[in-house]
Amino acid sequence: MTPEALRTYLHDHIPLSRAMAVEVLEASANHVLLEAPLAPNINMHGTMFGGSSATLALLAAWSVMYLRLEAEGIASQLVIHRTTTEYLLPISGPAQASAHLDEAGWPSFRQTFQRRGRARLTVASELFYEGRPAGRLSGEFVAISEA
């Protein structure tokens, strides 16, 4: 899926991403890089609202998992089970969220999914502001077979 196609998918299926003006800079089955501007995500302190930055990081993690499932032809519903977010810096401008899929956990995830029709995998995402780490998210996702 191209970055443009992923952006359209997110905006059409997760309307909050459109309200946040999320853009997709990179999209593959191994890595996703998203960006959101400050203006639609600003808080009363002139920095990015914590909920917006957490959502940006969550969208990156969800997207890389979604793209891997799609690339491998795994028909499933993908939902978030739990997240933790750590904020490192205030974000006073555009923020980026980068998520990589943990290749070490993928074979076990696939095996469990094939056997049980559902499986969990934790995906990490990092937030960046002006090239510096500004936050981290860890999300546990569950894929549920559509068959």
Side-chain angles (χ1 to χ4, degrees):
M1 182 177 284
T2 66
E4 296 78 19
L6 179 58
R7 181 181 69 77
T8 298
Y9 184 87
L10 291 173
H11 286 193
D12 289 348
H13 293 89
I14 305 172
L16 180 58
S17 69
R18 181 188 305 272
M20 291 175 56
V22 171
E23 291 296 330
V24 179
L25 304 180
E26 296 177 26
S28 75
N30 297 317
H31 177 247
V32 167
L33 181 64
L34 305 180
E35 185 171 75
L38 180 62
N41 300 293
I42 199 163
N43 65 21
M44 71 290 282
H45 306 293
T47 59
M48 188 169 283
F49 176 61
S52 292
S53 55
T55 299
L56 182 64
L58 178 60
L59 284 168
W62 183 92
S63 293
V64 75
M65 185 76 179
Y66 173 80
L67 291 175
R68 173 55 74 88
L69 291 165
E70 181 185 72
E72 295 198 14
I74 300 173
S76 65
Q77 293 180 5
L78 180 62
V79 296
I80 185 68
H81 176 64
R82 123 187 23 181
T83 65
T84 58
T85 305
E86 180 181 11
Y87 301 95
L88 305 173
L89 292 174
I91 298 171
S92 301
Q96 293 185 341
S98 175
H100 293 272
L101 199 65
D102 176 15
E103 295 297 330
W106 189 255
S108 176
F109 169 86
R110 270 202 72 121
Q111 183 180 33
T112 301
F113 185 85
Q114 289 169 344
R115 192 175 61 240
R116 296 185 179 164
R118 68 176 26 207
R120 295 176 189 205
L121 187 69
T122 299
V123 180
S125 180
E126 287 189 277
L127 287 164
F128 294 94
Y129 170 58
E130 295 183 335
R132 296 178 299 168
R136 294 185 198 100
L137 176 134
S138 177
E140 183 179 55
F141 294 88
V142 179
I144 305 164
S145 177
E146 291 183 339

